[in-house]
Amino acid sequence: MDQHIVIFASGSGSNSEAIAEYLQKHNVAGISLIMSNRHDAYVLERAKSLNIPSLYFSRTDLYNDVLVLNRLIRENPSLIVLAGFLWLLPVNIISKFPDRIVNIHPSLLPAFGGKGMYGSKVHEAVIAMGCEESGITIHYVNERYDEGDIIFQARCEVFDDDTPESLAQRIHQLEHFWYPRIIEKLLTGTKITDQDNTS
Ligand code: GRF
């Protein structure tokens, strides 16, 4: 495979695993590294089982040092994929990889995005507002939370009896289906059309 990506994740890493499995099965790209800002994140266990190199880094490594930046330069990935990564990337990384960093957010941005809006907080807010639909957004990353250009969105219903957990489960299914496929399209330069949104 001539292309490879780097993943950043802070938590469980179910998206990272779905991406790894899809890319390998479809012979699209390798994952050269999974980076985490939490040494106890379950994604690091998954990396081990998937035989993917991983690296823990601290706040200092990311913001006050060039450890993370230099490692990314050395990896030279076609795409940097944020999958449940909870910190902002510093400008030196964002400007070094223009249009090569993507994120997934568990709502239909710009709704329910921004600082502090992550994980079950998003789903709690969607339910509290009485929304009839929610969904996922895959977007480019800039120096502000959840504000980069939108690449793709997919929707799902919110039911009257939904809990944050049941909604999260439906959203995760959408994420696991779409994130690998959108990454594949970005890597192969395939146009992402409105039709992708309706399936
Ligand atoms: C996902 O819901 C994603 O949208 C958000 O964080 C969650 C990560 O889940 N950014 P996982 O760690 O991949 O299971």
Side-chain angles (χ1 to χ4, degrees):
M1 276 178 272
D2 25 312
Q3 297 207 74
H4 62 271
I5 66 170
V6 168
I7 296 182
F8 279 70
S10 304
S12 153
S14 68
N15 277 284
S16 305
E17 187 165 333
I19 293 164
E21 281 171 356
Y22 182 93
L23 295 186
Q24 194 188 18
K25 186 165 165 213
H26 297 264
N27 216 13
V28 179
I31 300 175
S32 67
L33 186 64
I34 295 184
M35 302 190 78
S36 184
N37 59 320
R38 284 195 41 196
H39 61 81
D40 58 349
Y42 188 61
V43 69
L44 295 174
E45 296 297 319
R46 293 193 201 251
K48 232 178 270 164
S49 326
L50 291 161
N51 262 323
I52 298 171
S54 63
L55 182 71
Y56 159 78
F57 60 90
S58 69
R59 195 168 269 281
T60 306
D61 296 333
L62 182 66
Y63 296 113
N64 308 109
D65 206 335
V66 283
L67 186 138
V68 177
L69 175 68
N70 283 348
R71 182 64 189 255
L72 287 174
I73 290 171
R74 209 164 76 224
E75 295 289 333
N76 191 26
S78 301
L79 209 58
I80 296 170
V81 171
L82 311 191
F85 180 62
L86 295 181
W87 292 353
L88 276 181
L89 286 180
V91 176
N92 61 3
I93 292 181
I94 288 165
S95 52
K96 188 78 197 168
F97 298 93
D99 294 333
R100 275 160 73 190
I101 313 179
V102 296
N103 181 42
I104 189 161
H105 186 82
S107 76
L108 295 169
L109 289 175
F112 305 105
K115 193 169 164 55
M117 269 296 174
Y118 61 89
S120 63
K121 289 179 204 292
V122 175
H123 309 307
E124 281 160 24
V126 167
I127 290 170
M129 285 277 287
C131 299
E132 287 176 0
E133 64 170 16
S134 188
I136 62 168
T137 303
I138 296 168
H139 64 92
Y140 286 110
V141 169
N142 66 17
E143 61 284 355
R144 285 180 303 278
Y145 280 110
D146 306 324
E147 286 187 23
D149 289 346
I150 291 175
I151 299 166
F152 174 82
Q153 293 187 310
R155 289 156 197 278
C156 65
E157 259 183 275
V158 179
F159 301 115
D160 286 345
D161 59 352
D162 258 327
T163 61
E165 293 72 30
S166 63
L167 180 55
Q169 218 176 4
R170 202 170 310 121
I171 293 281
H172 258 122
Q173 281 171 2
L174 273 184
E175 294 185 329
H176 296 166
F177 182 82
W178 282 113
Y179 209 10
R181 287 167 174 80
I182 296 300
I183 289 168
E184 177 181 32
K185 283 178 188 281
L186 292 170
L187 289 172
T188 53
T190 313
K191 210 162 171 250
I192 296 162
T193 62
D194 281 350
Q195 247 158 26
D196 288 319
N197 274 301
T198 53
S199 16

